[in-house]
Amino acid sequence: MTVGILLVDPQLDFFPGGALGVNDGDAIVAPINELLRRHPRLPLFASRDWHPTSTRHFAARGGRWPPHCVQETPGAGFHPELAMASAEVFDKGTDPNDDAGYSAFEGRSRGHGGRSLADALGAEHVDALIVAGLATDYCVKASVLDACARGLTTFVLAPGVRAVDVQAGDGERALAEMRAAGALVIG
Ligand code: VGL
Ligand code: ZN
């Protein structure tokens, strides 16, 4: 088994004070950094919510969200305290006409010829993923369900995820869905 680490959208707009700040989101930084410190040689991947200024993902055009993670804005930047400089970054949510891009598997690499995450994992013979990031009930869930569907052994680092919880309990329900799909919740 070759294990990789996937950090889902650890961007400032999803941390407290951001445009779509997740309650207690700051709590994910220390456990993720601990994971990275203990396993510095594991292949590291990160997705980035990377929206155009106007998109069907945003409420102004019929979507469900306030503007967040707009390309090249400070809120779209990764949390500066995360030690993830070596990550291969996959941009998603870039299509203005599509409220999609919740899963990291929909992203395209900023390097490597714009390869998909699935192609990157294949090229690096990664067949298991430890997943952390924001938010449990949206992009983490979508990414984990895709990883499970692709046959990857998928671990969710519980201390490294937090939920939007539009409805109370959404985060817990999302974890239950991930478990039902075969993901192993660890930590
Ligand atoms: C996300 C809501 C909207 C996420 C992205 O990264 O979980 N949630 N866009
Ligand atoms: Zn988004």
Side-chain angles (χ1 to χ4, degrees), residues 136-137 141 158 161-180 185:
T136 313
D137 36 359
K141 178 177 95 169
V161 299
R162 286 295 184 281
V164 176
D165 277 337
V166 170
Q167 307 280 337
D170 281 354
E172 282 309 314
R173 282 188 286 276
L175 285 172
E177 249 185 89
M178 293 185 251
R179 280 194 191 93
V185 179

Side-chain angles (χ1 to χ4, degrees), residues 4-20:
I5 297 173
L6 173 64
L7 303 181
V8 176
D9 303 2
Q11 295 165 271
L12 286 173
D13 271 344
F14 295 123
F15 284 87
L20 197 47

Side-chain angles (χ1 to χ4, degrees), residues 14 16 21-26 162-164:
F14 295 123
V22 172
N23 251 337
D24 200 30
D26 288 326
R162 286 295 184 281
V164 176

